[in-house]
Amino acid sequence: MKAGKIGWMLLLVAGIVLAGCGNSKNRKNEDNMVGNDKDEHGCIASAGYIWSEVQKDCIRLWEKGVRMESVANKENTAYIIFAPDSLQVELFFSGDQPNEILDRRSLPGGDYAWNVEDDDTKNVRQENGKWTISQRGNLIYQQVDEAK
C-alpha cells in the first residue's frame, strides 16, 4: 500500500471512532434530559409528578393536595390527596416515611374521618375548617394557612 492510502485509511478510521464517541455522548445527554425520567407508572419526577394510588394518575402534590405541617417540626410536611369519590385519602409524607391510604368512615355526628380499623392508624378529619392528621388522639399535622 502506498503511504497516502494508509494515511487516508487512518484518517477514516479515526473519524469513525470519533463519530461513535460523539453519538455515545449524545445518548448519555438524552438520558439526563429533564422529562426523560419516567417511573414505572409513566410519571416524570423531574417535572414534579408522582404516582397517586387513589387518583390512579401522575399528580403534582402542590396542585392536587392539601399541604399539611407537622405540629412538632414545621420542616416536616405532608400532603393529603383524596380519591375522586372521597372514599379514600392518600397521605404523602416528607422524608422516608411511606405513603398511607385511609378509608372513609362515618362519624356519629354526621361528619367523616379517614382511617383504618387499627388503634395505631392515623386519622384524617376536618376540624374547625382545617384538615388535620392525628394519631392516638394526638394532633400530628395540620393544614397550612393559604395566606402564608
Side-chain angles (χ1 to χ4, degrees):
M1 279 186 141
K2 292 186 178 180
K5 282 188 175 181
I6 293 174
W8 276 105
M9 287 177 64
L10 288 173
L11 188 58
L12 180 63
V13 169
I16 291 170
V17 168
L18 288 175
C21 291
N23 286 340
S24 172
K25 185 177 181 184
N26 287 340
R27 277 191 298 264
K28 186 174 183 182
N29 286 342
E30 287 174 9
D31 290 343
N32 293 332
M33 288 177 57
V34 173
N36 202 23
D37 59 337
K38 292 182 180 177
D39 67 10
E40 66 271 13
H41 298 286
C43 302
I44 302 171
S46 62
Y49 288 94
I50 188 169
W51 179 255
S52 168
E53 193 61 37
V54 300
Q55 288 276 318
K56 301 289 187 226
D57 198 8
C58 298
I59 64 166
R60 289 179 168 151
L61 292 173
W62 64 90
E63 290 177 347
K64 293 272 188 173
V66 177
R67 186 171 182 271
M68 315 286 279
E69 279 183 352
S70 168
V71 174
N73 180 353
K74 301 275 187 221
E75 298 291 317
N76 294 332
T77 59
Y79 281 87
I80 57 175
I81 305 289
F82 289 92
D85 60 7
S86 295
L87 292 178
Q88 291 184 312
V89 66
E90 188 169 8
L91 308 180
F92 290 83
F93 298 98
S94 59
D96 294 333
Q97 193 172 349
N99 295 2
E100 295 182 37
I101 296 177
L102 308 175
D103 297 315
R104 185 175 77 183
R105 306 202 187 288
S106 296
L107 297 174
D111 289 333
Y112 295 102
W114 287 259
N115 57 32
V116 178
E117 289 188 38
D118 178 348
D119 288 343
D120 199 37
T121 189
K122 292 177 179 67
N123 288 283
V124 173
R125 61 179 0 172
Q126 199 168 40
E127 296 177 2
N128 300 322
K130 288 190 177 187
W131 289 103
T132 62
I133 302 173
S134 60
Q135 189 169 24
R136 295 187 204 133
N138 296 316
L139 179 66
I140 55 174
Y141 287 89
Q142 62 187 359
Q143 185 176 356
V144 175
D145 289 330
E146 297 297 323
K148 281 188 176 181

